[in-house]
Amino acid sequence: MQYNHQEIEENWQKFWAENQTFKASSTSEKPKYYVLDMFPYPSGAGLHVGHPLGYIASDIYARYKRHKGFNVLHPQGYDSFGLPAEQYAIQTGQHPAKTTEANIATYRKQLDKIGFSFDWSTEVRTSNPEYYKWTQWIFIQLFNSWYHKDTDKAEDISTLISIFKKSGNAKVNAVSDEDIAFFSAEEWNAFSTTEKEAILLQYRLTFLSDTEVNWCPGLGTVLANDEIVNGVSERGSHPVVRKKMTQWSMRISAYAQRLLDGLETIDWPQPLKDSQTNWIGRSQGAMVSFDVANGTEKVSSEVKLSYKELEALKELRQNLSKAETILWDELKNKKGAAKFRKKYTIGAFLVDYVCLAKNIIVEFSGKEEEAARTEFFAKEGFNVVRFTNEEVIENVLSVVSKINAAIQFPKAIEKGAKKEVALTAKNQYKIAVFTTRPDTIFGVSFMTLAPEHELVSKITTDAQKAAVEKYITATAKRSERDRMADVKTISGVFTGAYAIHPFSGEKVQIWIGDYVLANYGTGAVMAVPCGDQRDYDFAKKFEIPIPNIFEGVDISEEAHTGKDATKIANSDFLSGLKYKKALKLSIFEMEKRGFGYGKINYRLRDAVFSRQRYWGEPFPVYYKDGMPQMIDAKHLPIVLPEVEKYLPTEDGKPPLGNATAWAWDSRAKKVVSNEKLKNKTVYPLELNTMPGWAGSSWYFNRYMDAANTAEFASKEALDYWKEVDLYIGGSEHATGHLLYARFWQKFLFDKGIVPVDEFAKKLINQGMILGTSAFVYKATAFVKEGCGCADEKSNDDVLNKIPTVLVSKNLFSSDDEFETVVKNYLMDKGFLSPLNADIVMIVKTEIHADVSLVNTSDELDVDAFKNHALNAAYKNSEFILEDGVYKVKREVEKMSKSKYNVVNPDAIVAQYGADALRLFEMFLGPLEQAKPWKTSGISGVSSFLKKLWKLYFNEEIFEVSKEKATKEELKVLHKTIKKVQEDIERFSFNTSVSTFMIAVNDLTTLKCNKRAILEPLLVLLSPYAPHISEELWSKLGNKKSISTADFPVFDAKHLVESAKNYPISFNGKMRFTLELSLDLSKEEIEKAVLVHEKTIAQLEGRTPKKVIVVPGKIINIVG
RNA sequence: GCUCAAGUGGCGGAAUUGGUAGACGCGCUGGAUUCAAAAUCCAGUUUUUUCGGAAGUGCGGGUUCGAUUCCCGCCUUGAGUACCA
């Protein structure tokens, strides 16, 4: 009977679906095992053969674990929010939900054909409101939490509030924004609700702030650092620029250390751990503060703004926002003592409006460093009045009347604040730096600030002013990419100012240079040229002294960057010490003297969480008095509203700004029409949506209890399944999904919501499957120029006669030979007159041919190629063949549509079957490695399946014998059991496919048809080739699915041998083998070998110096 | 530049603790079957050879009775990251 894969596979796929064979039980006595694939994004292009690789591996493991008696959870779902569907929606006007739904349907159909044992009853989709309800819920939990460094975990915001109430914020040890103003308990209690909320935002784990973000104009949204590759967007490769915007952020930096520590506890690939470690970028060192000298050179007294600020100011005066214009229209009419100015600088701050005569500042709220501004303005004797954009737009008259009130009844400025500020004002400027080498502080010979550093304009002397400004202008012009690409050019300029070395008291020059990055550390470095190559190069270029503080080290050529072995010299109290001790002592001294302290810096930035896109989770947030408010969890989900178009609004708001019903009625507790915004209890809702990683950061927990409507997942389910035991997916998620998901998991763990703080115990990165592209060689003819005698027209005639010619691969070995071959062909066929042969030039180009047109022997189907839809240009081409066929060149490349090398799994399944596809994908090579796909290879596993099938048949009749298995047959079976089990457990799936082949070859040779062998063999094979195994299993008379069968138990007694075919080597080289009994002692073996005639021949009369005998392994004769 | 991973036949790859290098499969060569093709089956397939052998796992050293495997240096390829103080 013929093996008919189509019928068999269809039947069993139907059987599994109908019987819910792979549904996981949550009330099982069995031990649990959770196998998960990384969340797929259902793209419109569908699957190619590279995609199922990881799914097949995880499916094999899941099925194996079921045979081994585990209760296995093996779910699947879709990360269905995201950019591609939205880009498509913008282009076609189709609702992303619709296209997503269609893509999922295609995806599912393709998956089903491969025979995966997914438990589809737990399917989740991130774009489903029942799912994102809980994503919103987690967001609220984050909002209501702060990170307490004392307990080293996230706590409810209420514990922070109670500390504030009792003792203010001076002693709170929390992860927060930088530059937080201190306040006492009394002050806290006196703050207005809005003020309190503004302060709490600085502590919450998700918070709203003005941050420099990566704005991508091409996509119309901001991007996280991990969504940018080489300065352009990961999706679509659009340029990205820096821009300041008010955004939701996630305080992932609070977890930096724990994210590092957690890596120690999980079994993940080292390269992945390395890249997370790298991304987090921990560096241990010290913060040191250098005073700027009040030098002899005159420092200009007027308050200056940095170049950037001045440029921004000019622009701002001209381009007022809508709210600003409305308010200015009212204020500008005021005359006399109440005259207002717009965009005016007070100190280093830019204020929106100021009335100088009445000392009133009017500002829009939500600016950076609001507390610091207030403090500074108070010191200068100004009263500050703040309004939100919305207040002004909605009722400008009430705003104006409040301003009038402030002019008439100025608030008394607190004396305490004034006194404190006066004290600090006496102090000169300080430059804070972070260094990982405080032990080399005596090697500091200058300092370098980033050109953007705020102090630059304030400390630059008049003499250097022109040079500094010129340099800053020049740097500002260079794009981010230019600066990144050009590392070699050393540039900088002296500010004229000096800093005081905190230990030695010496004056060191302060420079600016663009090798110092504004957004890392403090944007300033203490330069130690003898110990840092960049500082060294800088010092050399500008002839700054390079003091040597290393004992016995030559620094005339380059800096000495090593640290461990070298002793410090010329360094006062640090002299003679090695790195470790000097480091500790230097920090100790700094702390004692009060100008520095030990600090650990992380490169990891807080993650921007807002996206100006439509197709994402809406935030459960509305705004009241400019302050974000969470919607109570019981009113979730806040469902994504319908919009007419998916583009930003005309005034630049995100797409949700197009929604007509997007306001929160705080009384009715529901989303209502925007028209009701006039009501006092109706507020605008957040217009941003969440980023793609929101839904994928916790989905693995949802699978444990996917249908739960009351909770994110029940406690019982979470406690039973705990974490993913095996997680398989691509390495591209290393610093995105996998870092964010670990962060959320740790947060949920802190809040007692999940029982473990790492969500995946073991992770495997499957390698990419590459395509084997096919190329044809195309000949293009040109006419040589410059003869000067012939007229152009006749040359055109020559060219017009020449058709496109394609040359088979092995007909030439050089470009010259190629030209000759083509010319000879053209002349033979009469396309080219021999008279014109010399004026024609032939150039070779390689073009991709669709791989489906090429057979296993690299031969092109010429007719199919000519008639291929994409090859209209070659319809009338001539082909130069070799031995009657056209051979193509093959090359391994990434699988992609543009390279015509994409192989669709559906086609493979139709022709060879899902079992063959599964076996072949595994057979290609180690799971973790990248490897090329070559469809020709599949015939090997296909004939294996046919051979296996044959073992169970006597011609047309299914027939297995009840006879006892022979020793030989049992040996084959048990060898296979042992090897397959070992292979699966170390995820070496390719070698177990070989093992099956060997077993079937051996059993065929032995003509074995014993049930005792063939029945357990099916269980071994069933994780790999489940359909054929089920079919033969049921033919053997079994009523239940093979997935319920126990894995065969290995018995070593079947492998016991009485003799061993020993390899006999001479000086380590194997020369011949000799069969000897395993009962022999070492001495007997040695004797037997030495008297053997081949040994004597090998030795050629020499006496062996030594004979190594490893019983059961090898014999080595030295001599 | 730095970090990590990997280099084995014509190709994908195997060799699990240092113990017979090239399993298994593709491709190729020859044969059987067939009117012929496909499919199937059999034999061969690292290089070299005076047919006894000899050499051989990117290159050069080392440790060892014995190294694809361990150590040192170098070369090549791939991935990540990038003026990170």
Side-chain angles (χ1 to χ4, degrees):
Chain A
M1 196 174 142
Q2 276 259 306
Y3 163 53
N4 179 345
H5 61 80
Q6 266 154 339
E7 199 179 301
I8 293 169
E9 291 178 355
E10 205 178 304
N11 282 344
W12 284 105
Q13 283 161 13
K14 215 172 117 200
F15 176 91
W16 296 329
E18 280 169 2
N19 293 282
Q20 299 220 31
T21 307
F22 305 114
K23 194 168 160 50
S25 154
S26 52
T27 55
S28 176
E29 293 293 302
K30 292 177 185 175
K32 69 100 189 185
Y33 201 88
Y34 184 179
V35 185
L36 184 63
D37 300 296
M38 283 187 199
F39 224 5
Y41 176 81
S43 80
L47 295 172
H48 66 59
V49 290
H51 296 117
L53 181 76
Y55 303 160
I56 295 171
S58 62
D59 196 58
I60 289 170
Y61 207 78
R63 287 175 180 268
Y64 169 73
K65 280 286 176 183
R66 286 193 198 98
H67 288 306
K68 278 286 187 181
F70 286 82
N71 180 30
V72 173
L73 177 59
H74 185 36
Q76 189 59 283
Y78 307 96
D79 191 7
S80 46
F81 270 134
L83 284 179
E86 183 166 354
Q87 290 297 94
Y88 191 74
I90 291 169
Q91 284 159 20
T92 66
Q94 280 202 66
H95 198 290
K98 231 175 152 180
T99 51
T100 302
E101 184 74 37
N103 291 349
I104 287 178
T106 314
Y107 225 85
R108 174 67 188 273
K109 227 166 90 190
Q110 288 188 294
L111 289 177
D112 280 349
K113 279 189 195 162
I114 306 174
F116 293 119
S117 65
F118 292 128
D119 176 0
W120 285 107
S121 71
T122 60
E123 180 199 299
V124 301
R125 298 180 187 185
T126 51
S127 60
N128 186 336
E130 283 313 302
Y131 179 87
Y132 68 67
K133 168 180 176 177
W134 299 106
T135 311
Q136 293 173 337
W137 179 79
I138 294 170
F139 178 83
I140 296 171
Q141 307 310 304
L142 281 156
F143 183 83
N144 288 330
S145 302
W146 64 292
Y147 200 89
H148 196 173
K149 285 197 215 170
D150 288 347
T151 55
D152 202 19
K153 62 180 213 172
E155 289 182 13
D156 197 273
I157 200 78
S158 60
T159 63
L160 183 66
I161 296 171
S162 61
I163 295 173
F164 285 172
K165 271 188 196 157
K166 244 187 263 159
S167 47
N169 70 344
K171 282 183 191 143
V172 171
N173 192 12
V175 179
S176 65
D177 288 1
E178 308 239 314
D179 311 319
I180 285 195
F182 288 129
F183 52 80
S184 65
E186 294 73 40
E187 284 169 315
W188 170 260
N189 294 325
F191 286 146
S192 70
T193 312
T194 308
E195 282 168 322
K196 282 180 180 166
E197 281 175 10
I199 289 165
L200 288 173
L201 261 184
Q202 301 183 301
Y203 291 86
R204 295 179 189 274
L205 284 181
T206 184
F207 58 101
L208 205 52
S209 73
D210 283 333
T211 34
E212 282 254 316
V213 294
N214 307 298
W215 172 254
C216 177
L219 293 171
T221 187
V222 304
L223 299 171
N225 289 340
D226 64 280
E227 291 168 323
I228 299 161
V229 179
N230 295 328
V232 294
S233 67
E234 189 184 17
R235 285 201 186 271
S237 299
H238 301 286
V240 173
V241 295
R242 308 285 295 169
K243 188 176 174 183
K244 204 156 227 183
M245 287 177 78
T246 304
Q247 300 282 299
W248 284 104
S249 288
M250 288 279 164
R251 223 179 281 284
I252 187 172
S253 57
Y255 285 86
Q257 189 58 48
R258 283 172 62 192
L259 287 168
L260 275 180
D261 295 343
L263 290 174
E264 307 286 326
T265 67
I266 47 182
D267 183 6
W268 287 20
Q270 198 55 43
L272 199 162
K273 287 188 186 181
D274 289 347
S275 90
Q276 289 209 349
T277 307
N278 208 331
W279 193 260
I280 296 167
R282 180 185 202 269
S283 49
Q284 188 160 15
M287 284 295 287
V288 192
S289 161
F290 285 65
D291 286 339
V292 177
N294 289 327
T296 44
E297 288 185 70
K298 187 181 154 281
V299 173
S300 176
S301 58
E302 69 180 285
V303 179
K304 284 178 256 174
L305 293 170
S306 73
Y307 170 82
K308 263 196 165 172
E309 288 165 322
L310 282 169
E311 284 298 301
L313 182 58
K314 270 188 219 158
E315 207 184 299
L316 277 171
R317 282 213 182 102
Q318 278 152 20
N319 307 316
L320 294 185
S321 75
K322 191 179 165 196
E324 284 169 341
T325 312
I326 293 174
L327 189 53
W328 181 237
D329 286 343
E330 296 297 326
L331 294 181
K332 71 182 174 195
N333 299 324
K334 291 188 177 293
K335 296 277 185 276
K339 182 179 164 60
F340 272 84
R341 293 160 199 271
K342 67 177 171 178
K343 301 291 173 188
Y344 202 82
T345 51
I346 303 291
F349 295 111
L350 173 68
V351 302
D352 292 328
Y353 314 98
V354 60
C355 173
L356 293 168
K358 296 282 183 185
N359 282 356
I360 296 283
I361 289 170
V362 177
E363 285 199 321
F364 286 96
S365 55
K367 285 197 170 54
E368 224 189 347
E369 304 173 27
E370 209 154 83
R373 296 174 79 99
T374 310
E375 187 185 30
F376 178 80
F377 297 150
K379 184 194 91 184
E380 298 288 322
F382 285 95
N383 268 310
V384 187
V385 192
R386 291 200 174 93
F387 301 98
T388 65
N389 277 333
E390 286 74 18
E391 281 175 292
V392 171
I393 292 170
E394 278 156 30
N395 194 349
V396 68
L397 292 178
S398 106
V399 169
V400 171
S401 81
K402 278 181 197 158
I403 293 170
N404 288 336
I407 293 173
Q408 282 166 20
F409 313 106
K411 203 166 71 178
I413 293 164
E414 280 179 45
K415 276 184 183 164
K418 201 164 190 171
K419 208 167 125 195
E420 205 178 79
V421 170
L423 266 173
T424 49
K426 247 204 271 175
N427 290 342
Q428 63 276 79
Y429 294 118
K430 285 175 185 293
I431 299 173
V433 298
F434 176 73
T435 174
T436 54
R437 296 295 303 275
D439 57 312
T440 64
I441 191 161
F442 285 95
V444 171
S445 62
F446 63 101
M447 305 197 69
T448 317
L449 308 185
E452 298 92 336
H453 197 283
E454 53 163 12
L455 273 183
V456 172
S457 55
K458 291 163 192 159
I459 61 170
T460 302
T461 58
D462 289 345
Q464 289 299 105
K465 194 174 169 186
V468 167
E469 273 174 13
K470 196 176 147 207
Y471 181 73
I472 294 174
T473 319
T475 357
K477 267 191 202 147
R478 294 175 75 191
S479 73
E480 193 99 338
R481 274 193 108 171
D482 284 351
R483 265 175 82 172
M484 263 163 63
D486 181 19
V487 181
K488 299 243 161 59
T489 319
I490 300 156
S491 68
V493 63
F494 180 42
T495 62
Y498 291 84
I500 308 290
H501 191 290
F503 280 118
S504 69
E506 278 172 32
K507 274 166 74 175
V508 294
Q509 300 179 347
I510 302 172
W511 286 67
I512 59 173
D514 69 1
Y515 80 96
V516 177
L517 302 178
N519 50 12
Y520 182 75
T522 61
V525 299
M526 58 172 226
V528 183
C530 65
D532 182 289
Q533 195 57 44
R534 287 157 310 167
D535 294 345
Y536 184 90
D537 296 340
F538 195 87
K540 273 262 151 130
K541 165 133 185 176
F542 296 108
E543 295 175 351
I544 302 168
I546 304 177
N548 190 354
I549 52 143
F550 298 114
E551 203 174 290
V553 169
D554 174 31
I555 53 153
S556 60
E557 289 303 319
E558 55 176 7
H560 174 74
T561 49
K563 50 191 177 184
D564 285 337
T566 325
K567 277 186 183 170
I568 305 283
N570 306 323
S571 294
D572 195 356
F573 61 93
L574 295 175
S575 294
L577 297 177
K578 283 195 185 170
Y579 167 71
K580 273 191 181 161
K581 280 199 171 162
L583 186 80
K584 273 189 192 155
L585 186 61
S586 58
I587 294 175
F588 177 80
E589 278 296 320
M590 284 173 193
E591 288 176 354
K592 199 171 90 184
R593 303 191 197 187
F595 57 81
Y597 54 93
K599 197 188 173 193
I600 292 161
N601 236 16
Y602 299 92
R603 196 174 69 108
L604 182 70
R605 307 281 89 160
D606 284 334
V608 181
F609 198 69
S610 300
R611 294 292 181 275
Q612 293 68 44
R613 302 292 298 197
Y614 174 72
W615 192 231
E617 297 87 348
F619 284 86
V621 173
Y622 64 94
Y623 289 87
K624 183 177 170 186
D625 300 330
M627 280 294 144
Q629 311 292 327
M630 293 298 122
I631 290 167
D632 201 288
K634 61 176 177 262
H635 308 304
L636 301 181
I638 300 303
V639 179
L640 190 62
E642 293 305 319
V643 293
E644 278 215 11
K645 49 180 198 159
Y646 307 103
L647 289 167
T649 63
E650 271 162 27
D651 50 346
K653 283 184 187 156
L656 288 193
N658 291 321
T660 49
W662 196 237
W664 182 250
D665 186 330
S666 62
R667 278 214 194 133
K669 310 286 185 197
K670 62 177 188 182
V671 176
V672 295
S673 163
N674 292 356
E675 285 162 20
K676 298 200 176 163
L677 277 171
K678 284 169 264 168
N679 298 351
K680 275 198 173 161
T681 56
V682 175
Y683 302 96
L685 280 158
E686 169 74 52
L687 298 181
N688 290 300
T689 53
M690 298 188 196
W693 54 269
S696 59
S697 291
W698 68 281
Y699 77 111
F700 33 86
N701 288 316
R702 184 64 180 169
Y703 281 134
M704 297 172 188
D705 193 11
N708 199 327
T709 52
E711 285 170 289
F712 140 108
S714 74
K715 195 168 164 12
E716 295 73 42
L718 287 161
D719 282 341
Y720 177 73
W721 293 108
K722 285 197 175 72
E723 78 267 89
V724 176
D725 293 285
L726 175 64
Y727 197 28
I728 296 187
S731 55
E732 67 274 18
H733 298 112
T735 50
H737 160 61
L738 291 173
L739 199 59
Y740 296 128
R742 291 182 60 222
F743 157 45
W744 277 29
Q745 182 76 7
K746 286 189 187 300
F747 165 73
L748 293 170
F749 173 77
D750 285 353
K751 303 289 292 223
I753 298 163
V754 298
V756 288
D757 76 337
E758 287 290 348
F759 76 93
K761 249 194 217 165
K762 177 166 181 71
L763 187 147
I764 294 178
N765 285 133
Q766 92 267 22
M768 211 190 311
I769 289 189
L770 305 164
T772 312
S773 303
F775 293 90
V776 293
Y777 294 98
K778 175 186 169 189
T780 313
F782 292 98
V783 171
K784 281 181 192 161
E785 283 173 35
C787 71
C789 44
D791 58 307
E792 298 298 313
K793 202 173 165 252
S794 69
N795 284 351
D796 281 350
D797 286 353
V798 172
L799 276 188
N800 286 340
K801 275 200 208 156
I802 298 176
T804 307
V805 177
L806 300 168
V807 187
S808 186
K809 183 191 159 199
N810 298 314
L811 293 174
F812 60 94
S813 53
S814 67
D815 287 358
D816 287 348
E817 216 178 318
F818 179 82
E819 186 162 10
T820 315
V821 168
V822 174
K823 277 189 184 174
N824 287 343
Y825 178 85
L826 291 173
M827 289 190 281
D828 279 359
K829 295 273 170 170
F831 294 119
L832 175 66
S833 155
L835 297 170
N836 292 327
D838 283 344
I839 64 159
V840 172
M841 244 171 21
I842 304 292
V843 174
K844 184 186 81 186
T845 39
E846 297 176 7
I847 35 176
H848 279 103
D850 197 309
V851 286
S852 64
L853 305 174
V854 179
N855 75 4
T856 56
S857 309
D858 296 348
E859 295 161 7
L860 182 73
D861 183 338
V862 172
D863 288 330
F865 181 82
K866 283 184 181 170
N867 295 321
H868 196 272
L870 295 159
N871 295 336
Y874 303 105
K875 209 161 174 64
N876 299 311
S877 299
E878 291 288 319
F879 287 78
I880 309 183
L881 309 178
E882 54 179 288
D883 304 330
V885 293
Y886 187 99
K887 292 235 177 193
V888 295
K889 178 198 168 188
R890 307 222 76 163
E891 202 171 273
V892 173
E893 295 181 291
K894 209 168 166 174
M895 205 172 266
S896 118
K897 248 185 181 169
S898 64
K899 298 188 169 86
Y900 300 117
N901 60 3
V902 172
V903 180
N904 188 322
D906 297 3
I908 302 290
V909 167
Q911 195 180 344
Y912 300 97
D915 285 339
L917 174 74
R918 293 169 63 106
L919 284 167
F920 186 54
E921 294 234 359
M922 292 299 104
F923 187 63
L924 282 177
L927 180 60
E928 303 91 330
Q929 242 168 60
K931 56 235 158 202
W933 175 276
K934 234 179 144 182
T935 305
S936 55
I938 204 169
S939 64
V941 292
S942 175
S943 58
F944 156 75
L945 287 173
K946 286 181 203 158
K947 264 192 202 169
L948 172 85
W949 184 260
K950 270 197 196 161
L951 284 174
Y952 298 76
F953 286 84
N954 180 3
E955 300 295 326
E956 286 302 297
I957 309 147
F958 183 85
E959 189 180 283
V960 288
S961 141
K962 278 187 196 152
E963 262 178 75
K964 228 179 127 192
T966 66
K967 215 179 142 196
E968 273 302 295
E969 291 166 340
L970 282 167
K971 196 173 144 189
V972 171
L973 175 68
H974 283 267
K975 241 165 67 183
T976 310
I977 298 173
K978 180 167 189 274
K979 178 88 171 111
V980 168
Q981 181 166 325
E982 281 170 2
D983 283 348
I984 295 182
E985 268 161 21
R986 60 194 179 99
F987 308 98
S988 173
F989 302 110
N990 55 327
T991 50
S992 41
V993 178
S994 301
T995 307
F996 289 129
M997 290 177 173
I998 294 167
V1000 167
N1001 288 346
D1002 288 351
L1003 293 174
T1004 306
T1005 313
L1006 292 170
K1007 296 198 170 26
C1008 171
N1009 72 338
K1010 315 275 167 62
R1011 173 182 275 267
I1013 303 294
L1014 297 182
E1015 194 164 40
L1017 180 69
L1018 289 177
V1019 184
L1020 297 182
L1021 182 68
S1022 101
Y1024 290 79
H1027 309 87
I1028 194 171
S1029 306
E1030 285 274 27
E1031 181 72 14
L1032 293 170
W1033 182 256
S1034 78
K1035 279 192 164 27
L1036 283 169
N1038 293 295
K1039 292 283 171 275
K1040 276 164 86 182
S1041 162
I1042 193 169
S1043 65
T1044 60
D1046 284 340
F1047 203 78
V1049 179
F1050 168 67
D1051 187 345
K1053 79 174 181 216
H1054 298 295
L1055 300 192
V1056 173
E1057 310 247 8
S1058 60
K1060 158 90 188 168
N1061 196 20
Y1062 278 97
I1064 314 296
S1065 31
F1066 291 80
N1067 297 320
K1069 285 261 159 211
M1070 203 281 286
R1071 291 308 176 213
F1072 63 93
T1073 58
L1074 181 61
E1075 176 128 337
L1076 292 170
S1077 164
L1078 279 166
D1079 302 332
L1080 296 180
S1081 70
K1082 269 192 177 188
E1083 290 71 26
E1084 286 167 319
I1085 292 172
E1086 184 173 335
K1087 213 173 137 197
V1089 171
L1090 285 177
V1091 299
H1092 195 269
E1093 54 181 66
K1094 282 197 179 171
T1095 311
I1096 294 161
Q1098 273 292 332
L1099 287 168
E1100 291 171 328
R1102 281 166 288 145
T1103 329
K1105 285 186 192 132
K1106 204 171 173 186
V1107 178
I1108 312 276
V1109 177
V1110 186
K1113 277 261 165 88
I1114 197 168
I1115 292 139
N1116 190 20
I1117 297 163
V1118 190

